[in-house]
Amino acid sequence: MFKKIIKGGQRKHPNSDSWDTSNQGHVLSGSSNLGSGTPAVNHASGTKPISKGPNPGVRTSLPPMFAVEPLPLFKGVAVADRPTLFLRKLQLCCFQLDFSNSTKLVREKEIKRQTLLDLVEFIESGSGKITERSQEELIKMVGVNIFRCLPPAFHENTGQEALEPEDEDPYSEPSWPHLQLVYELLLRYIVSSDTDTKVAKRYIDHMFVLKVLDLFNSEDPREREYLKMILHRIYGKFMIHRPCIRKAINNIFYRFIYETQRHRGIGELLEVLGSIIHGFSLPMKEENKLFLVRALIPLHKMKTASMYHEHLSYCIVQFVVKDYRLADTVIRGLLKYWPMTNCQKEILFLGELEEVLEATQSAELQRCILPLFRQIARCLHSDHYQVTFYFQYFSVIFFATLNAEGSTDSEALP
């Protein structure tokens, strides 16, 4: 008898260890009373309780035969019940849905989308104070939805030859109808005047910021645009994260330049960086000057520089405007990476050089005048008419400026 009991206890029930993945993402029913701390579940007969896994707060799958019921809108419940309803809506949105098949779980996807939309409107309205627990659950829900393994590039999936990034078709994230609302919710939470920075920084910590920066390599430009706005707001509101953000951007640029040569979010990161450089205090720190020399200037040599050159040029010029003594370093850096066979890229360099020289004082210009005029001479012999014409016009303006300042040294010219 004892052996039979032991054998019976070791017998596994069907579907107890692995659930049907086709039902992944089903959410809890909203039929329970608002006063209860957790929502009720509509169980089918014979189903097992939810497996909590390593993180009890994150549910990514449910047993089959679960019913999903929408929760009431915030404006339809009493003010006293809204904090509880807020938590329940966050819990409902913690379930990930499969977007690889657009015909699967259509009802559940729409319920989650409407729930996210109601959360965004509630945060934006400022009609209720968000408790500390609600903030913790909010950031947890955001992390469940946005922090994920990014899909491989198209050529990596198909095995075809890699195209230049500017020639590839823009990628559209299938889950964007949900992701957009999650990003909007996070953005509204960060910019809200009701958000206490001292409380929020416990949950928007260094690890959260680093994971946000990792997402800048997303193939979807819409996602990168939201990430840019969110990172900019985090940098402005959370001073404790500023060194971390600058260092992380620095490391991303290093990996892009010296290892991978592919990263989708360089332009967006440079946009954020432009605002950061504009706010640098004087005298400029040595670490910022090293960042200019080791990361920003070498970005000019990349094949895909034309995709982000406008933002890169703005950052470079901001350094010279902040500290005119950096002009010599910048000009020599541009000459070092000057394109020899790409005329379109050469025109971009000419435009950037013109802006740098406008912010350069004559004393700094004298230091690099010899290599600069050698490059001018080479450009005047270019076979490309745009380069030749641009530099003829540029040279006339340049000489006129030097003569007006009385700083032309005929013996110094090549």
Side-chain angles (χ1 to χ4, degrees), residues 326-346:
L326 294 172
D328 176 51
T329 302
V330 168
I331 293 173
R332 290 181 183 273
L334 288 174
L335 297 177
K336 177 181 178 181
Y337 297 114
W338 198 274
M340 297 300 178
T341 58
N342 189 335
C343 294
Q344 295 301 323
K345 190 175 179 181
E346 194 169 12

PDB file of all heavy atoms in Angstrom, residues 326-346:
ATOM      1  N   LEU A 326      39.138  74.329 -28.632  1.00  0.00           N
ATOM      2  CA  LEU A 326      39.005  72.990 -29.204  1.00  0.00           C
ATOM      3  C   LEU A 326      38.931  73.017 -30.731  1.00  0.00           C
ATOM      4  O   LEU A 326      38.885  71.957 -31.361  1.00  0.00           O
ATOM      5  CB  LEU A 326      37.749  72.304 -28.654  1.00  0.00           C
ATOM      6  CG  LEU A 326      37.746  71.986 -27.157  1.00  0.00           C
ATOM      7  CD1 LEU A 326      36.373  71.499 -26.723  1.00  0.00           C
ATOM      8  CD2 LEU A 326      38.807  70.932 -26.838  1.00  0.00           C
ATOM      9  N   ALA A 327      38.919  74.197 -31.328  1.00  0.00           N
ATOM     10  CA  ALA A 327      38.773  74.312 -32.780  1.00  0.00           C
ATOM     11  C   ALA A 327      39.907  73.600 -33.512  1.00  0.00           C
ATOM     12  O   ALA A 327      39.682  72.906 -34.512  1.00  0.00           O
ATOM     13  CB  ALA A 327      38.706  75.781 -33.185  1.00  0.00           C
ATOM     14  N   ASP A 328      41.122  73.788 -33.055  1.00  0.00           N
ATOM     15  CA  ASP A 328      42.266  73.138 -33.706  1.00  0.00           C
ATOM     16  C   ASP A 328      42.122  71.624 -33.676  1.00  0.00           C
ATOM     17  O   ASP A 328      42.350  70.939 -34.686  1.00  0.00           O
ATOM     18  CB  ASP A 328      43.561  73.570 -33.012  1.00  0.00           C
ATOM     19  CG  ASP A 328      44.783  72.864 -33.574  1.00  0.00           C
ATOM     20  OD1 ASP A 328      44.952  72.876 -34.803  1.00  0.00           O
ATOM     21  OD2 ASP A 328      45.558  72.296 -32.785  1.00  0.00           O
ATOM     22  N   THR A 329      41.717  71.078 -32.522  1.00  0.00           N
ATOM     23  CA  THR A 329      41.518  69.623 -32.398  1.00  0.00           C
ATOM     24  C   THR A 329      40.441  69.132 -33.349  1.00  0.00           C
ATOM     25  O   THR A 329      40.599  68.097 -34.006  1.00  0.00           O
ATOM     26  CB  THR A 329      41.134  69.274 -30.942  1.00  0.00           C
ATOM     27  OG1 THR A 329      42.159  69.716 -30.061  1.00  0.00           O
ATOM     28  CG2 THR A 329      40.921  67.783 -30.785  1.00  0.00           C
ATOM     29  N   VAL A 330      39.343  69.875 -33.452  1.00  0.00           N
ATOM     30  CA  VAL A 330      38.226  69.470 -34.305  1.00  0.00           C
ATOM     31  C   VAL A 330      38.616  69.521 -35.777  1.00  0.00           C
ATOM     32  O   VAL A 330      38.357  68.579 -36.545  1.00  0.00           O
ATOM     33  CB  VAL A 330      37.002  70.363 -34.026  1.00  0.00           C
ATOM     34  CG1 VAL A 330      35.936  70.147 -35.101  1.00  0.00           C
ATOM     35  CG2 VAL A 330      36.429  70.065 -32.652  1.00  0.00           C
ATOM     36  N   ILE A 331      39.247  70.622 -36.202  1.00  0.00           N
ATOM     37  CA  ILE A 331      39.615  70.772 -37.616  1.00  0.00           C
ATOM     38  C   ILE A 331      40.609  69.687 -38.036  1.00  0.00           C
ATOM     39  O   ILE A 331      40.474  69.077 -39.101  1.00  0.00           O
ATOM     40  CB  ILE A 331      40.180  72.180 -37.872  1.00  0.00           C
ATOM     41  CG1 ILE A 331      39.072  73.221 -37.693  1.00  0.00           C
ATOM     42  CG2 ILE A 331      40.782  72.284 -39.269  1.00  0.00           C
ATOM     43  CD1 ILE A 331      39.547  74.654 -37.752  1.00  0.00           C
ATOM     44  N   ARG A 332      41.600  69.433 -37.204  1.00  0.00           N
ATOM     45  CA  ARG A 332      42.562  68.383 -37.532  1.00  0.00           C
ATOM     46  C   ARG A 332      41.894  67.006 -37.551  1.00  0.00           C
ATOM     47  O   ARG A 332      42.274  66.124 -38.336  1.00  0.00           O
ATOM     48  CB  ARG A 332      43.715  68.399 -36.527  1.00  0.00           C
ATOM     49  CG  ARG A 332      44.630  69.617 -36.674  1.00  0.00           C
ATOM     50  CD  ARG A 332      45.766  69.575 -35.671  1.00  0.00           C
ATOM     51  NE  ARG A 332      46.592  70.773 -35.772  1.00  0.00           N
ATOM     52  CZ  ARG A 332      47.614  70.915 -36.613  1.00  0.00           C
ATOM     53  NH1 ARG A 332      47.930  69.923 -37.441  1.00  0.00           N
ATOM     54  NH2 ARG A 332      48.321  72.025 -36.645  1.00  0.00           N
ATOM     55  N   GLY A 333      40.900  66.810 -36.684  1.00  0.00           N
ATOM     56  CA  GLY A 333      40.161  65.546 -36.706  1.00  0.00           C
ATOM     57  C   GLY A 333      39.368  65.373 -37.986  1.00  0.00           C
ATOM     58  O   GLY A 333      39.333  64.280 -38.573  1.00  0.00           O
ATOM     59  N   LEU A 334      38.720  66.442 -38.465  1.00  0.00           N
ATOM     60  CA  LEU A 334      37.988  66.378 -39.727  1.00  0.00           C
ATOM     61  C   LEU A 334      38.921  66.087 -40.892  1.00  0.00           C
ATOM     62  O   LEU A 334      38.602  65.293 -41.785  1.00  0.00           O
ATOM     63  CB  LEU A 334      37.246  67.698 -39.965  1.00  0.00           C
ATOM     64  CG  LEU A 334      36.030  67.970 -39.086  1.00  0.00           C
ATOM     65  CD1 LEU A 334      35.490  69.378 -39.349  1.00  0.00           C
ATOM     66  CD2 LEU A 334      34.939  66.949 -39.341  1.00  0.00           C
ATOM     67  N   LEU A 335      40.088  66.725 -40.895  1.00  0.00           N
ATOM     68  CA  LEU A 335      41.051  66.498 -41.974  1.00  0.00           C
ATOM     69  C   LEU A 335      41.595  65.070 -41.942  1.00  0.00           C
ATOM     70  O   LEU A 335      41.882  64.478 -42.986  1.00  0.00           O
ATOM     71  CB  LEU A 335      42.202  67.504 -41.859  1.00  0.00           C
ATOM     72  CG  LEU A 335      41.810  68.981 -42.021  1.00  0.00           C
ATOM     73  CD1 LEU A 335      43.021  69.876 -41.813  1.00  0.00           C
ATOM     74  CD2 LEU A 335      41.180  69.231 -43.379  1.00  0.00           C
ATOM     75  N   LYS A 336      41.710  64.505 -40.742  1.00  0.00           N
ATOM     76  CA  LYS A 336      42.214  63.136 -40.613  1.00  0.00           C
ATOM     77  C   LYS A 336      41.262  62.132 -41.257  1.00  0.00           C
ATOM     78  O   LYS A 336      41.708  61.159 -41.898  1.00  0.00           O
ATOM     79  CB  LYS A 336      42.412  62.808 -39.128  1.00  0.00           C
ATOM     80  CG  LYS A 336      42.869  61.380 -38.869  1.00  0.00           C
ATOM     81  CD  LYS A 336      43.014  61.122 -37.367  1.00  0.00           C
ATOM     82  CE  LYS A 336      43.438  59.669 -37.099  1.00  0.00           C
ATOM     83  NZ  LYS A 336      43.567  59.413 -35.623  1.00  0.00           N
ATOM     84  N   TYR A 337      39.959  62.339 -41.097  1.00  0.00           N
ATOM     85  CA  TYR A 337      38.971  61.394 -41.621  1.00  0.00           C
ATOM     86  C   TYR A 337      38.310  61.908 -42.902  1.00  0.00           C
ATOM     87  O   TYR A 337      37.231  61.442 -43.263  1.00  0.00           O
ATOM     88  CB  TYR A 337      37.910  61.121 -40.561  1.00  0.00           C
ATOM     89  CG  TYR A 337      38.464  60.472 -39.310  1.00  0.00           C
ATOM     90  CD1 TYR A 337      38.467  61.145 -38.094  1.00  0.00           C
ATOM     91  CD2 TYR A 337      39.016  59.199 -39.356  1.00  0.00           C
ATOM     92  CE1 TYR A 337      38.982  60.560 -36.945  1.00  0.00           C
ATOM     93  CE2 TYR A 337      39.538  58.603 -38.221  1.00  0.00           C
ATOM     94  CZ  TYR A 337      39.520  59.293 -37.026  1.00  0.00           C
ATOM     95  OH  TYR A 337      40.040  58.704 -35.896  1.00  0.00           O
ATOM     96  N   TRP A 338      38.948  62.840 -43.578  1.00  0.00           N
ATOM     97  CA  TRP A 338      38.361  63.435 -44.785  1.00  0.00           C
ATOM     98  C   TRP A 338      38.155  62.361 -45.863  1.00  0.00           C
ATOM     99  O   TRP A 338      39.078  61.617 -46.184  1.00  0.00           O
ATOM    100  CB  TRP A 338      39.270  64.538 -45.318  1.00  0.00           C
ATOM    101  CG  TRP A 338      38.560  65.460 -46.264  1.00  0.00           C
ATOM    102  CD1 TRP A 338      38.380  65.306 -47.599  1.00  0.00           C
ATOM    103  CD2 TRP A 338      37.911  66.683 -45.913  1.00  0.00           C
ATOM    104  NE1 TRP A 338      37.662  66.344 -48.126  1.00  0.00           N
ATOM    105  CE2 TRP A 338      37.363  67.220 -47.103  1.00  0.00           C
ATOM    106  CE3 TRP A 338      37.735  67.385 -44.718  1.00  0.00           C
ATOM    107  CZ2 TRP A 338      36.663  68.423 -47.130  1.00  0.00           C
ATOM    108  CZ3 TRP A 338      37.040  68.577 -44.746  1.00  0.00           C
ATOM    109  CH2 TRP A 338      36.507  69.088 -45.932  1.00  0.00           C
ATOM    110  N   PRO A 339      36.956  62.256 -46.437  1.00  0.00           N
ATOM    111  CA  PRO A 339      36.704  61.225 -47.462  1.00  0.00           C
ATOM    112  C   PRO A 339      37.440  61.549 -48.762  1.00  0.00           C
ATOM    113  O   PRO A 339      37.411  62.682 -49.238  1.00  0.00           O
ATOM    114  CB  PRO A 339      35.184  61.290 -47.648  1.00  0.00           C
ATOM    115  CG  PRO A 339      34.807  62.672 -47.215  1.00  0.00           C
ATOM    116  CD  PRO A 339      35.761  63.064 -46.142  1.00  0.00           C
ATOM    117  N   MET A 340      38.079  60.552 -49.333  1.00  0.00           N
ATOM    118  CA  MET A 340      38.871  60.750 -50.539  1.00  0.00           C
ATOM    119  C   MET A 340      38.144  60.322 -51.809  1.00  0.00           C
ATOM    120  O   MET A 340      38.446  60.814 -52.898  1.00  0.00           O
ATOM    121  CB  MET A 340      40.187  59.967 -50.423  1.00  0.00           C
ATOM    122  CG  MET A 340      41.072  60.445 -49.289  1.00  0.00           C
ATOM    123  SD  MET A 340      41.511  62.195 -49.504  1.00  0.00           S
ATOM    124  CE  MET A 340      42.476  62.474 -48.010  1.00  0.00           C
ATOM    125  N   THR A 341      37.196  59.391 -51.687  1.00  0.00           N
ATOM    126  CA  THR A 341      36.528  58.857 -52.873  1.00  0.00           C
ATOM    127  C   THR A 341      35.014  59.040 -52.847  1.00  0.00           C
ATOM    128  O   THR A 341      34.345  58.698 -53.814  1.00  0.00           O
ATOM    129  CB  THR A 341      36.841  57.357 -53.021  1.00  0.00           C
ATOM    130  OG1 THR A 341      36.408  56.665 -51.842  1.00  0.00           O
ATOM    131  CG2 THR A 341      38.327  57.131 -53.218  1.00  0.00           C
ATOM    132  N   ASN A 342      34.469  59.559 -51.763  1.00  0.00           N
ATOM    133  CA  ASN A 342      33.020  59.719 -51.630  1.00  0.00           C
ATOM    134  C   ASN A 342      32.699  61.204 -51.665  1.00  0.00           C
ATOM    135  O   ASN A 342      32.824  61.913 -50.666  1.00  0.00           O
ATOM    136  CB  ASN A 342      32.540  59.090 -50.315  1.00  0.00           C
ATOM    137  CG  ASN A 342      31.030  59.026 -50.212  1.00  0.00           C
ATOM    138  OD1 ASN A 342      30.321  59.809 -50.842  1.00  0.00           O
ATOM    139  ND2 ASN A 342      30.533  58.095 -49.425  1.00  0.00           N
ATOM    140  N   CYS A 343      32.290  61.691 -52.831  1.00  0.00           N
ATOM    141  CA  CYS A 343      32.056  63.126 -53.008  1.00  0.00           C
ATOM    142  C   CYS A 343      30.852  63.623 -52.211  1.00  0.00           C
ATOM    143  O   CYS A 343      30.858  64.746 -51.701  1.00  0.00           O
ATOM    144  CB  CYS A 343      31.871  63.452 -54.486  1.00  0.00           C
ATOM    145  SG  CYS A 343      33.357  63.187 -55.478  1.00  0.00           S
ATOM    146  N   GLN A 344      29.811  62.794 -52.098  1.00  0.00           N
ATOM    147  CA  GLN A 344      28.642  63.216 -51.325  1.00  0.00           C
ATOM    148  C   GLN A 344      28.998  63.385 -49.856  1.00  0.00           C
ATOM    149  O   GLN A 344      28.554  64.337 -49.201  1.00  0.00           O
ATOM    150  CB  GLN A 344      27.518  62.180 -51.491  1.00  0.00           C
ATOM    151  CG  GLN A 344      26.974  62.070 -52.901  1.00  0.00           C
ATOM    152  CD  GLN A 344      26.401  63.383 -53.411  1.00  0.00           C
ATOM    153  OE1 GLN A 344      25.794  64.147 -52.652  1.00  0.00           O
ATOM    154  NE2 GLN A 344      26.594  63.652 -54.685  1.00  0.00           N
ATOM    155  N   LYS A 345      29.800  62.486 -49.330  1.00  0.00           N
ATOM    156  CA  LYS A 345      30.243  62.618 -47.950  1.00  0.00           C
ATOM    157  C   LYS A 345      31.181  63.806 -47.799  1.00  0.00           C
ATOM    158  O   LYS A 345      31.177  64.493 -46.769  1.00  0.00           O
ATOM    159  CB  LYS A 345      30.950  61.318 -47.526  1.00  0.00           C
ATOM    160  CG  LYS A 345      31.255  61.230 -46.041  1.00  0.00           C
ATOM    161  CD  LYS A 345      31.834  59.866 -45.694  1.00  0.00           C
ATOM    162  CE  LYS A 345      32.165  59.771 -44.210  1.00  0.00           C
ATOM    163  NZ  LYS A 345      32.757  58.461 -43.849  1.00  0.00           N
ATOM    164  N   GLU A 346      31.975  64.101 -48.831  1.00  0.00           N
ATOM    165  CA  GLU A 346      32.889  65.238 -48.797  1.00  0.00           C
ATOM    166  C   GLU A 346      32.123  66.554 -48.700  1.00  0.00           C
ATOM    167  O   GLU A 346      32.531  67.479 -47.990  1.00  0.00           O
ATOM    168  CB  GLU A 346      33.767  65.230 -50.044  1.00  0.00           C
ATOM    169  CG  GLU A 346      34.970  66.148 -49.958  1.00  0.00           C
ATOM    170  CD  GLU A 346      35.942  65.924 -51.094  1.00  0.00           C
ATOM    171  OE1 GLU A 346      35.593  65.224 -52.073  1.00  0.00           O
ATOM    172  OE2 GLU A 346      37.061  66.462 -51.010  1.00  0.00           O
TER     173      GLU A 346
END
